[in-house]
Amino acid sequence: MAARAGAGAGGDDDIPLLDDLMPWSVRPLRTGRPWVTAPDTASLKARWARLVRAEGAERERLFGPTRSRGPRTPVAALPGQSTSTARFARESGPCPEPVRILHGPFDEQWLIPDHRLIDAARPELWRVADGHQLFAVEHGYVPQDAGPALSVTTLLPDGHSPAGRPGRIRPLYRRPGGLEPNLAPGLLGLLRARHGDAVTAESVLAWIVTAARHSPAGCVVPLPADTARWWAGVELGRELLRLQLRGARGGERPRLPGGRRPYVRAAVPAAPGTMEYDPDDEALLLGTGRISPVPAGAWEFRVGGVRMLELWFERRASADGADGLEAIRPRDWPREWTSELLELITVLALLTELRPRQQALADGPQLATGDLRTAGVLPVAATARRPASVLVHQEEGPDGQFALL
């Protein structure tokens, strides 16, 4: 616990750490080879086809071996995936169906879900990823960062940090089916005693999304002592979640009011080389393409000091410098990317508009870490920081053997 005594740097000494409120966390995924993720599925399938056609030294080179993975590394299957567990050197079949992931904050991409290709896939995350799960992803601490401290997704997140300072991935539930909230034991009871029996794990997450902020010791979350502010923050947090989840699980997709919605005014060219912003006309320029209106708040939306729209574009714009399988990508700009860009602009604009409401809820009486200690919520038991045992069926180990866990 001594390492957490510094949570107060910058005046946050008595504010609980997210690490204590949601104690089970997982490190970001480490793919080991960038070609296993892409903004489109066709590129991934073409990369796989090119790889399995290659033989011997050429397959080895294209694979990109690391200390953790090579074409002959024995690897168990990913939980919930039916990919082969034979050594990849013998692979000749079709590409596994790519899965949608969150590649860093606000960038939805695709991943080949084959454990043989991923250095550190974090199987414990795959075991609890289902239709009930929500993942909170911390954004690594960067001094003077005014952006959000975390984001939330229904997709499997890879935890990539734009600024190179990875945070942690925190599932809301420790077991499939929305069972056993990943909250400090006793926290729900404490909050219900103060704010009413309607407090749930998802309302706690909604408050966290509203109130979380950066600190040198990690993400901190002020907990309000007054009930009116708690429920105002939960209501706002639910709106923030709705925007970030982008209509997942039957929710409403984010939309700006009529007259403020971004439209394509000039078609995006086949190979837009640059992205620029015209603040006078509120226009986003992609080569000769033009999208407007784009609010300045969407253009300036940053995480870890990095503009999200620029980063999104850079990951799709050009294959310059790419080598091997990573160089296999769309020749022309897909129409689907333009649709995704319009939605991202909408999400970032709406999130920016809600920031004043978040800031207005920052001040007021709080439950301090001392209050949580008195209630027995802190310190958190070591067992709450470890994954639950959720093996409900046999998982296939290397070369078709069953894993013994």
Side-chain angles (χ1 to χ4, degrees), residues 162-189:
R165 296 171 174 83
R168 307 282 292 194
I169 301 168
R170 301 181 187 274
L172 179 58
Y173 298 106
R174 292 166 51 82
R175 299 179 184 276
L179 302 177
E180 193 177 332
N182 178 26
L183 298 174
L187 178 62
L188 267 180

PDB file of all heavy atoms in Angstrom, residues 162-189:
ATOM      1  N   PRO A 162      -2.268   6.192 -27.220  1.00  0.00           N
ATOM      2  CA  PRO A 162      -1.723   7.068 -28.259  1.00  0.00           C
ATOM      3  C   PRO A 162      -0.394   7.702 -27.859  1.00  0.00           C
ATOM      4  O   PRO A 162       0.458   7.951 -28.697  1.00  0.00           O
ATOM      5  CB  PRO A 162      -2.812   8.138 -28.424  1.00  0.00           C
ATOM      6  CG  PRO A 162      -4.041   7.550 -27.848  1.00  0.00           C
ATOM      7  CD  PRO A 162      -3.599   6.607 -26.785  1.00  0.00           C
ATOM      8  N   ALA A 163      -0.217   7.969 -26.557  1.00  0.00           N
ATOM      9  CA  ALA A 163       0.991   8.646 -26.101  1.00  0.00           C
ATOM     10  C   ALA A 163       2.080   7.681 -25.667  1.00  0.00           C
ATOM     11  O   ALA A 163       3.119   8.097 -25.160  1.00  0.00           O
ATOM     12  CB  ALA A 163       0.649   9.588 -24.952  1.00  0.00           C
ATOM     13  N   GLY A 164       1.859   6.379 -25.858  1.00  0.00           N
ATOM     14  CA  GLY A 164       2.871   5.408 -25.503  1.00  0.00           C
ATOM     15  C   GLY A 164       2.967   5.116 -24.025  1.00  0.00           C
ATOM     16  O   GLY A 164       3.943   4.532 -23.561  1.00  0.00           O
ATOM     17  N   ARG A 165       1.974   5.522 -23.254  1.00  0.00           N
ATOM     18  CA  ARG A 165       1.956   5.249 -21.817  1.00  0.00           C
ATOM     19  C   ARG A 165       0.709   4.429 -21.500  1.00  0.00           C
ATOM     20  O   ARG A 165      -0.322   4.981 -21.136  1.00  0.00           O
ATOM     21  CB  ARG A 165       1.956   6.561 -21.020  1.00  0.00           C
ATOM     22  CG  ARG A 165       3.215   7.387 -21.204  1.00  0.00           C
ATOM     23  CD  ARG A 165       3.051   8.761 -20.556  1.00  0.00           C
ATOM     24  NE  ARG A 165       4.270   9.536 -20.593  1.00  0.00           N
ATOM     25  CZ  ARG A 165       4.679  10.254 -21.639  1.00  0.00           C
ATOM     26  NH1 ARG A 165       3.961  10.265 -22.747  1.00  0.00           N
ATOM     27  NH2 ARG A 165       5.808  10.954 -21.590  1.00  0.00           N
ATOM     28  N   PRO A 166       0.765   3.125 -21.675  1.00  0.00           N
ATOM     29  CA  PRO A 166      -0.450   2.317 -21.541  1.00  0.00           C
ATOM     30  C   PRO A 166      -1.015   2.330 -20.136  1.00  0.00           C
ATOM     31  O   PRO A 166      -0.282   2.369 -19.147  1.00  0.00           O
ATOM     32  CB  PRO A 166       0.026   0.906 -21.930  1.00  0.00           C
ATOM     33  CG  PRO A 166       1.501   0.926 -21.687  1.00  0.00           C
ATOM     34  CD  PRO A 166       1.946   2.324 -21.985  1.00  0.00           C
ATOM     35  N   GLY A 167      -2.337   2.343 -20.071  1.00  0.00           N
ATOM     36  CA  GLY A 167      -3.027   2.223 -18.796  1.00  0.00           C
ATOM     37  C   GLY A 167      -3.400   0.768 -18.557  1.00  0.00           C
ATOM     38  O   GLY A 167      -2.671  -0.153 -18.919  1.00  0.00           O
ATOM     39  N   ARG A 168      -4.559   0.546 -17.981  1.00  0.00           N
ATOM     40  CA  ARG A 168      -5.024  -0.808 -17.680  1.00  0.00           C
ATOM     41  C   ARG A 168      -6.433  -0.984 -18.231  1.00  0.00           C
ATOM     42  O   ARG A 168      -7.180  -0.025 -18.414  1.00  0.00           O
ATOM     43  CB  ARG A 168      -5.037  -1.055 -16.176  1.00  0.00           C
ATOM     44  CG  ARG A 168      -3.748  -0.762 -15.451  1.00  0.00           C
ATOM     45  CD  ARG A 168      -2.721  -1.849 -15.614  1.00  0.00           C
ATOM     46  NE  ARG A 168      -3.095  -3.084 -14.938  1.00  0.00           N
ATOM     47  CZ  ARG A 168      -2.231  -4.082 -14.721  1.00  0.00           C
ATOM     48  NH1 ARG A 168      -0.978  -3.996 -15.129  1.00  0.00           N
ATOM     49  NH2 ARG A 168      -2.634  -5.188 -14.105  1.00  0.00           N
ATOM     50  N   ILE A 169      -6.800  -2.244 -18.456  1.00  0.00           N
ATOM     51  CA  ILE A 169      -8.136  -2.603 -18.905  1.00  0.00           C
ATOM     52  C   ILE A 169      -8.879  -3.187 -17.710  1.00  0.00           C
ATOM     53  O   ILE A 169      -8.382  -4.107 -17.054  1.00  0.00           O
ATOM     54  CB  ILE A 169      -8.069  -3.633 -20.047  1.00  0.00           C
ATOM     55  CG1 ILE A 169      -7.278  -3.065 -21.223  1.00  0.00           C
ATOM     56  CG2 ILE A 169      -9.479  -4.040 -20.480  1.00  0.00           C
ATOM     57  CD1 ILE A 169      -6.921  -4.102 -22.274  1.00  0.00           C
ATOM     58  N   ARG A 170     -10.067  -2.643 -17.405  1.00  0.00           N
ATOM     59  CA  ARG A 170     -10.827  -3.067 -16.229  1.00  0.00           C
ATOM     60  C   ARG A 170     -12.225  -3.519 -16.646  1.00  0.00           C
ATOM     61  O   ARG A 170     -13.104  -2.690 -16.905  1.00  0.00           O
ATOM     62  CB  ARG A 170     -10.915  -1.925 -15.205  1.00  0.00           C
ATOM     63  CG  ARG A 170      -9.536  -1.454 -14.740  1.00  0.00           C
ATOM     64  CD  ARG A 170      -9.609  -0.345 -13.702  1.00  0.00           C
ATOM     65  NE  ARG A 170      -8.263   0.172 -13.436  1.00  0.00           N
ATOM     66  CZ  ARG A 170      -7.412  -0.350 -12.549  1.00  0.00           C
ATOM     67  NH1 ARG A 170      -7.787  -1.376 -11.822  1.00  0.00           N
ATOM     68  NH2 ARG A 170      -6.216   0.178 -12.394  1.00  0.00           N
ATOM     69  N   PRO A 171     -12.464  -4.832 -16.720  1.00  0.00           N
ATOM     70  CA  PRO A 171     -13.822  -5.314 -17.001  1.00  0.00           C
ATOM     71  C   PRO A 171     -14.773  -4.922 -15.868  1.00  0.00           C
ATOM     72  O   PRO A 171     -14.385  -4.911 -14.693  1.00  0.00           O
ATOM     73  CB  PRO A 171     -13.653  -6.835 -17.070  1.00  0.00           C
ATOM     74  CG  PRO A 171     -12.174  -7.061 -17.283  1.00  0.00           C
ATOM     75  CD  PRO A 171     -11.500  -5.935 -16.578  1.00  0.00           C
ATOM     76  N   LEU A 172     -16.017  -4.608 -16.212  1.00  0.00           N
ATOM     77  CA  LEU A 172     -16.985  -4.276 -15.167  1.00  0.00           C
ATOM     78  C   LEU A 172     -17.395  -5.512 -14.387  1.00  0.00           C
ATOM     79  O   LEU A 172     -17.693  -5.423 -13.194  1.00  0.00           O
ATOM     80  CB  LEU A 172     -18.219  -3.611 -15.792  1.00  0.00           C
ATOM     81  CG  LEU A 172     -19.332  -3.233 -14.816  1.00  0.00           C
ATOM     82  CD1 LEU A 172     -18.831  -2.276 -13.731  1.00  0.00           C
ATOM     83  CD2 LEU A 172     -20.517  -2.625 -15.563  1.00  0.00           C
ATOM     84  N   TYR A 173     -17.399  -6.674 -15.054  1.00  0.00           N
ATOM     85  CA  TYR A 173     -17.802  -7.914 -14.384  1.00  0.00           C
ATOM     86  C   TYR A 173     -16.658  -8.922 -14.419  1.00  0.00           C
ATOM     87  O   TYR A 173     -15.943  -9.045 -15.410  1.00  0.00           O
ATOM     88  CB  TYR A 173     -19.044  -8.506 -15.051  1.00  0.00           C
ATOM     89  CG  TYR A 173     -20.245  -7.593 -14.963  1.00  0.00           C
ATOM     90  CD1 TYR A 173     -20.683  -6.889 -16.074  1.00  0.00           C
ATOM     91  CD2 TYR A 173     -20.917  -7.420 -13.753  1.00  0.00           C
ATOM     92  CE1 TYR A 173     -21.778  -6.030 -15.983  1.00  0.00           C
ATOM     93  CE2 TYR A 173     -22.009  -6.578 -13.656  1.00  0.00           C
ATOM     94  CZ  TYR A 173     -22.430  -5.874 -14.772  1.00  0.00           C
ATOM     95  OH  TYR A 173     -23.501  -5.034 -14.688  1.00  0.00           O
ATOM     96  N   ARG A 174     -16.526  -9.661 -13.331  1.00  0.00           N
ATOM     97  CA  ARG A 174     -15.448 -10.640 -13.205  1.00  0.00           C
ATOM     98  C   ARG A 174     -15.825 -11.993 -13.817  1.00  0.00           C
ATOM     99  O   ARG A 174     -14.953 -12.824 -14.050  1.00  0.00           O
ATOM    100  CB  ARG A 174     -15.093 -10.832 -11.725  1.00  0.00           C
ATOM    101  CG  ARG A 174     -14.441  -9.601 -11.099  1.00  0.00           C
ATOM    102  CD  ARG A 174     -14.397  -9.683  -9.583  1.00  0.00           C
ATOM    103  NE  ARG A 174     -13.823 -10.921  -9.098  1.00  0.00           N
ATOM    104  CZ  ARG A 174     -12.512 -11.160  -8.999  1.00  0.00           C
ATOM    105  NH1 ARG A 174     -11.642 -10.224  -9.352  1.00  0.00           N
ATOM    106  NH2 ARG A 174     -12.078 -12.311  -8.529  1.00  0.00           N
ATOM    107  N   ARG A 175     -17.115 -12.201 -14.079  1.00  0.00           N
ATOM    108  CA  ARG A 175     -17.572 -13.472 -14.645  1.00  0.00           C
ATOM    109  C   ARG A 175     -18.512 -13.202 -15.816  1.00  0.00           C
ATOM    110  O   ARG A 175     -19.173 -12.155 -15.871  1.00  0.00           O
ATOM    111  CB  ARG A 175     -18.302 -14.310 -13.590  1.00  0.00           C
ATOM    112  CG  ARG A 175     -17.445 -14.685 -12.383  1.00  0.00           C
ATOM    113  CD  ARG A 175     -18.247 -15.496 -11.370  1.00  0.00           C
ATOM    114  NE  ARG A 175     -17.458 -15.769 -10.179  1.00  0.00           N
ATOM    115  CZ  ARG A 175     -16.597 -16.784 -10.056  1.00  0.00           C
ATOM    116  NH1 ARG A 175     -16.443 -17.623 -11.074  1.00  0.00           N
ATOM    117  NH2 ARG A 175     -15.911 -16.965  -8.947  1.00  0.00           N
ATOM    118  N   PRO A 176     -18.616 -14.140 -16.759  1.00  0.00           N
ATOM    119  CA  PRO A 176     -19.580 -13.974 -17.861  1.00  0.00           C
ATOM    120  C   PRO A 176     -21.000 -13.860 -17.335  1.00  0.00           C
ATOM    121  O   PRO A 176     -21.307 -14.266 -16.211  1.00  0.00           O
ATOM    122  CB  PRO A 176     -19.381 -15.262 -18.676  1.00  0.00           C
ATOM    123  CG  PRO A 176     -18.026 -15.769 -18.305  1.00  0.00           C
ATOM    124  CD  PRO A 176     -17.822 -15.371 -16.873  1.00  0.00           C
ATOM    125  N   GLY A 177     -21.857 -13.295 -18.161  1.00  0.00           N
ATOM    126  CA  GLY A 177     -23.260 -13.164 -17.792  1.00  0.00           C
ATOM    127  C   GLY A 177     -23.546 -11.970 -16.898  1.00  0.00           C
ATOM    128  O   GLY A 177     -24.618 -11.885 -16.301  1.00  0.00           O
ATOM    129  N   GLY A 178     -22.617 -11.021 -16.803  1.00  0.00           N
ATOM    130  CA  GLY A 178     -22.819  -9.863 -15.935  1.00  0.00           C
ATOM    131  C   GLY A 178     -22.817 -10.222 -14.475  1.00  0.00           C
ATOM    132  O   GLY A 178     -23.527  -9.590 -13.676  1.00  0.00           O
ATOM    133  N   LEU A 179     -22.016 -11.217 -14.089  1.00  0.00           N
ATOM    134  CA  LEU A 179     -21.974 -11.682 -12.703  1.00  0.00           C
ATOM    135  C   LEU A 179     -20.724 -11.182 -11.997  1.00  0.00           C
ATOM    136  O   LEU A 179     -19.670 -11.046 -12.599  1.00  0.00           O
ATOM    137  CB  LEU A 179     -22.023 -13.211 -12.660  1.00  0.00           C
ATOM    138  CG  LEU A 179     -23.242 -13.869 -13.314  1.00  0.00           C
ATOM    139  CD1 LEU A 179     -23.116 -15.382 -13.261  1.00  0.00           C
ATOM    140  CD2 LEU A 179     -24.532 -13.409 -12.648  1.00  0.00           C
ATOM    141  N   GLU A 180     -20.864 -10.937 -10.710  1.00  0.00           N
ATOM    142  CA  GLU A 180     -19.775 -10.528  -9.819  1.00  0.00           C
ATOM    143  C   GLU A 180     -19.100  -9.241 -10.298  1.00  0.00           C
ATOM    144  O   GLU A 180     -18.068  -9.281 -10.967  1.00  0.00           O
ATOM    145  CB  GLU A 180     -18.741 -11.646  -9.670  1.00  0.00           C
ATOM    146  CG  GLU A 180     -17.773 -11.368  -8.513  1.00  0.00           C
ATOM    147  CD  GLU A 180     -16.774 -12.493  -8.298  1.00  0.00           C
ATOM    148  OE1 GLU A 180     -17.078 -13.651  -8.614  1.00  0.00           O
ATOM    149  OE2 GLU A 180     -15.681 -12.187  -7.791  1.00  0.00           O
ATOM    150  N   PRO A 181     -19.673  -8.102  -9.957  1.00  0.00           N
ATOM    151  CA  PRO A 181     -19.079  -6.831 -10.375  1.00  0.00           C
ATOM    152  C   PRO A 181     -17.622  -6.705  -9.925  1.00  0.00           C
ATOM    153  O   PRO A 181     -17.262  -7.108  -8.819  1.00  0.00           O
ATOM    154  CB  PRO A 181     -19.958  -5.788  -9.686  1.00  0.00           C
ATOM    155  CG  PRO A 181     -21.259  -6.473  -9.455  1.00  0.00           C
ATOM    156  CD  PRO A 181     -20.919  -7.909  -9.182  1.00  0.00           C
ATOM    157  N   ASN A 182     -16.831  -6.141 -10.798  1.00  0.00           N
ATOM    158  CA  ASN A 182     -15.421  -5.879 -10.493  1.00  0.00           C
ATOM    159  C   ASN A 182     -15.331  -4.561  -9.716  1.00  0.00           C
ATOM    160  O   ASN A 182     -14.811  -3.560 -10.194  1.00  0.00           O
ATOM    161  CB  ASN A 182     -14.614  -5.804 -11.792  1.00  0.00           C
ATOM    162  CG  ASN A 182     -13.150  -5.486 -11.548  1.00  0.00           C
ATOM    163  OD1 ASN A 182     -12.601  -5.772 -10.481  1.00  0.00           O
ATOM    164  ND2 ASN A 182     -12.515  -4.879 -12.543  1.00  0.00           N
ATOM    165  N   LEU A 183     -15.878  -4.584  -8.516  1.00  0.00           N
ATOM    166  CA  LEU A 183     -15.857  -3.436  -7.616  1.00  0.00           C
ATOM    167  C   LEU A 183     -15.282  -3.883  -6.281  1.00  0.00           C
ATOM    168  O   LEU A 183     -15.403  -5.051  -5.902  1.00  0.00           O
ATOM    169  CB  LEU A 183     -17.272  -2.878  -7.409  1.00  0.00           C
ATOM    170  CG  LEU A 183     -17.980  -2.354  -8.660  1.00  0.00           C
ATOM    171  CD1 LEU A 183     -19.419  -1.980  -8.334  1.00  0.00           C
ATOM    172  CD2 LEU A 183     -17.243  -1.159  -9.265  1.00  0.00           C
ATOM    173  N   ALA A 184     -14.646  -2.962  -5.592  1.00  0.00           N
ATOM    174  CA  ALA A 184     -14.086  -3.291  -4.284  1.00  0.00           C
ATOM    175  C   ALA A 184     -15.179  -3.883  -3.398  1.00  0.00           C
ATOM    176  O   ALA A 184     -16.285  -3.328  -3.307  1.00  0.00           O
ATOM    177  CB  ALA A 184     -13.506  -2.041  -3.640  1.00  0.00           C
ATOM    178  N   PRO A 185     -14.915  -5.018  -2.746  1.00  0.00           N
ATOM    179  CA  PRO A 185     -15.927  -5.605  -1.848  1.00  0.00           C
ATOM    180  C   PRO A 185     -16.394  -4.590  -0.807  1.00  0.00           C
ATOM    181  O   PRO A 185     -15.587  -3.931  -0.155  1.00  0.00           O
ATOM    182  CB  PRO A 185     -15.162  -6.764  -1.196  1.00  0.00           C
ATOM    183  CG  PRO A 185     -14.111  -7.142  -2.200  1.00  0.00           C
ATOM    184  CD  PRO A 185     -13.696  -5.841  -2.834  1.00  0.00           C
ATOM    185  N   GLY A 186     -17.711  -4.446  -0.711  1.00  0.00           N
ATOM    186  CA  GLY A 186     -18.291  -3.491   0.224  1.00  0.00           C
ATOM    187  C   GLY A 186     -18.614  -2.142  -0.381  1.00  0.00           C
ATOM    188  O   GLY A 186     -19.353  -1.351   0.217  1.00  0.00           O
ATOM    189  N   LEU A 187     -18.091  -1.846  -1.588  1.00  0.00           N
ATOM    190  CA  LEU A 187     -18.329  -0.520  -2.178  1.00  0.00           C
ATOM    191  C   LEU A 187     -19.798  -0.329  -2.544  1.00  0.00           C
ATOM    192  O   LEU A 187     -20.382   0.718  -2.258  1.00  0.00           O
ATOM    193  CB  LEU A 187     -17.443  -0.325  -3.408  1.00  0.00           C
ATOM    194  CG  LEU A 187     -17.620   1.006  -4.147  1.00  0.00           C
ATOM    195  CD1 LEU A 187     -17.263   2.189  -3.236  1.00  0.00           C
ATOM    196  CD2 LEU A 187     -16.773   1.046  -5.424  1.00  0.00           C
ATOM    197  N   LEU A 188     -20.400  -1.338  -3.184  1.00  0.00           N
ATOM    198  CA  LEU A 188     -21.821  -1.205  -3.543  1.00  0.00           C
ATOM    199  C   LEU A 188     -22.682  -1.005  -2.304  1.00  0.00           C
ATOM    200  O   LEU A 188     -23.592  -0.166  -2.291  1.00  0.00           O
ATOM    201  CB  LEU A 188     -22.294  -2.442  -4.310  1.00  0.00           C
ATOM    202  CG  LEU A 188     -22.232  -2.414  -5.836  1.00  0.00           C
ATOM    203  CD1 LEU A 188     -22.744  -3.723  -6.410  1.00  0.00           C
ATOM    204  CD2 LEU A 188     -23.024  -1.237  -6.393  1.00  0.00           C
ATOM    205  N   GLY A 189     -22.405  -1.747  -1.243  1.00  0.00           N
ATOM    206  CA  GLY A 189     -23.180  -1.587  -0.013  1.00  0.00           C
ATOM    207  C   GLY A 189     -23.029  -0.205   0.576  1.00  0.00           C
ATOM    208  O   GLY A 189     -24.021   0.389   1.044  1.00  0.00           O
TER     209      GLY A 189
END
